[in-house]
Amino acid sequence: MAANGAGCEQPQKRVGGKQKHNGNFTDSSVSERRHKDREERLSLVLWRRPVVTLNYFLLETLITLKEWTLKLWRRKGSVFLFLVLCSLFSVAYSIEGAHQKHVQHLEKRFLWCAYWVGLGILSSVGLGTGLHTFLLYLGPHIASVTLAAYECGSTDFPEPPYPDQIICPQEGGVEGSISLWSIISKVRLEACMWGAGTAIGELPPYFMARAARLSGADPDDEDYEEFEEMLEQAERAQDVVTRAKLGVQNMVQKVGFFGILACASIPNPLFDLAGITCGHFLVPFWTFFGATLIGKAIVKMHIQKLFVIITFSKHIVEQMVSLIGSVPRVGPALQKPFSEYLEAQRSKLHHQAGEGTPAGENWLSWVFEKVVLVMVCYFVCSIINSMAQSYAKRLQQQRYSEEKTK
């Protein structure tokens, strides 16, 4: 009886940093439960559970709007000052006068820069799940400017923001007078703004990891948990991906500003880890953001611009088309649409404004438009799925809290 009585009241004890109550909570059970909950969250996608996913998405949207409203209410002074400045600018914008010419010029430039900054943010935000706006927007834009510069023999077509299409100037330039530097200068503004946007998109992981480190609490975010596990298992890592992640982490941690600059200056799919690393080791904000901004907006963008410009230079494009035609059997069939597409682009560049768009659009442009549409739709779906999973995570955390209080 004594043994049975002793078994009825087991003392509370710590097991692996987690409290054990009557055997209900252990490291293995908690780990299994979290893994099961994570799998349940990941199953919340539109193509599997559309009704529940949309419902959770709307609820998470309302919660997020409420949180943002409360944050703005806590900063009433800053919000009021911003509204006053917007009101003054609106009055200056609506009043007629000689200043309207400068106001409209600044408006166009601001909207043009904001457009590319926004695309840059969409590209890098979300820990690798962003929209590939370089392939969809900036790359094709640089390619079209490059082709136009070589075809027109000049870069004197309108300054950005461009009209719906680029048209060669009346007085064409001398053939062969176009240089790489002139084309780089023509697209520098939009490319640098896009690069600055990608640097801004790297800030959420930095702030998340920094806040978690300063609070002293273990965050529930899986990305941060994976990062901490990777640090603990650093010496035993064998696979290439983990070694590459550790290489980024070691460079950022040991070299500091120049390590961040080196990682940000090259196309690096693992750079998301740099933000978490810098936040975890409390790297100063301006050290991280300054190096990231210089690397992405200046160094990396000039490398990418140079690659696109060289790839779409006139003589290289013509050589590529001729090589396509030399492929046995299918070469001529593949060469024809590419040749027609290039000819259509040349005719567009030389037709006058108001003449209408020349005919000759082929299936290449149609395919590209559909690819862009599919990628944008997938990006929107990923946002809906992510917000639905965030709401499911809120419910699971609420359930954990209720169980701990019992």
Side-chain angles (χ1 to χ4, degrees), residues 144-163:
S144 65
V145 172
T146 303
L147 294 173
Y150 281 107
E151 182 63 26
C152 301
S154 170
T155 57
D156 292 334
F157 39 83
E159 291 291 325
Y162 300 106

Side-chain angles (χ1 to χ4, degrees), residues 59-71:
L59 294 173
E60 180 68 15
T61 302
L62 293 176
I63 293 175
T64 303
L65 290 176
K66 180 181 177 181
E67 292 176 349
W68 287 356
T69 303
L70 292 175
K71 289 180 180 179

Side-chain angles (χ1 to χ4, degrees), residues 270-281:
L270 302 176
F271 187 78
D272 291 327
L273 186 64
I276 300 178
T277 301
C278 292
H280 180 80
F281 292 104

Side-chain angles (χ1 to χ4, degrees), residues 57-285:
F57 164 73
L58 293 175
L59 294 173
E60 180 68 15
T61 302
L62 293 176
I63 293 175
T64 303
L65 290 176
K66 180 181 177 181
E67 292 176 349
W68 287 356
T69 303
L70 292 175
K71 289 180 180 179
L72 291 176
W73 179 253
R74 296 190 190 101
R75 296 170 175 82
K76 296 185 291 290
S78 301
V79 174
F80 178 75
L81 179 61
F82 176 76
L83 293 176
V84 170
L85 292 176
C86 289
S87 300
L88 293 175
F89 181 80
S90 177
V91 170
Y93 180 79
S94 59
I95 294 176
E96 297 293 335
H99 66 286
Q100 282 294 327
K101 179 177 66 175
H102 304 288
V103 170
Q104 292 176 2
H105 176 74
L106 289 175
E107 179 191 17
K108 290 181 179 179
R109 281 303 180 104
F110 173 78
L111 293 176
W112 182 250
C113 293
Y115 172 75
W116 289 110
V117 170
L119 289 177
I121 294 174
L122 291 176
S123 176
S124 60
V125 74
L127 291 173
T129 60
L131 184 66
H132 299 289
T133 53
F134 182 84
L135 295 177
L136 294 177
Y137 297 99
L138 184 58
H141 170 72
I142 296 174
S144 65
V145 172
T146 303
L147 294 173
Y150 281 107
E151 182 63 26
C152 301
S154 170
T155 57
D156 292 334
F157 39 83
E159 291 291 325
Y162 300 106
D164 293 336
Q165 53 189 345
I166 302 173
I167 299 175
C168 291
Q170 294 288 343
E171 298 179 359
V174 180
E175 185 175 356
S177 61
I178 295 299
S179 64
L180 288 176
W181 182 253
S182 62
I183 303 176
I184 288 174
S185 301
K186 189 68 175 179
V187 297
R188 179 178 289 117
L189 176 65
E190 46 266 47
C192 290
M193 290 298 102
W194 185 87
T198 61
I200 295 172
E202 301 292 351
L203 293 180
Y206 169 83
F207 285 121
M208 177 271 296
R210 183 179 178 86
R213 180 67 183 271
L214 290 175
S215 66
D218 294 329
D220 295 323
D221 191 271
E222 283 82 6
D223 297 306
Y224 191 84
E225 290 179 353
E226 180 183 353
F227 169 73
E228 288 196 326
E229 290 177 3
M230 186 193 66
L231 292 181
E232 294 175 358
Q233 300 174 356
E235 296 180 357
R236 295 177 293 174
Q238 298 295 330
D239 59 288
V240 177
V241 176
T242 304
R243 287 182 177 179
K245 290 182 178 180
L246 290 172
V248 173
Q249 182 262 327
N250 290 329
M251 179 177 292
V252 169
Q253 182 183 0
K254 295 179 181 179
V255 186
F257 179 90
F258 293 101
I260 302 169
L261 179 63
C263 292
S265 298
I266 57 175
N268 185 2
L270 302 176
F271 187 78
D272 291 327
L273 186 64
I276 300 178
T277 301
C278 292
H280 180 80
F281 292 104
L282 303 181
V283 174
F285 170 77

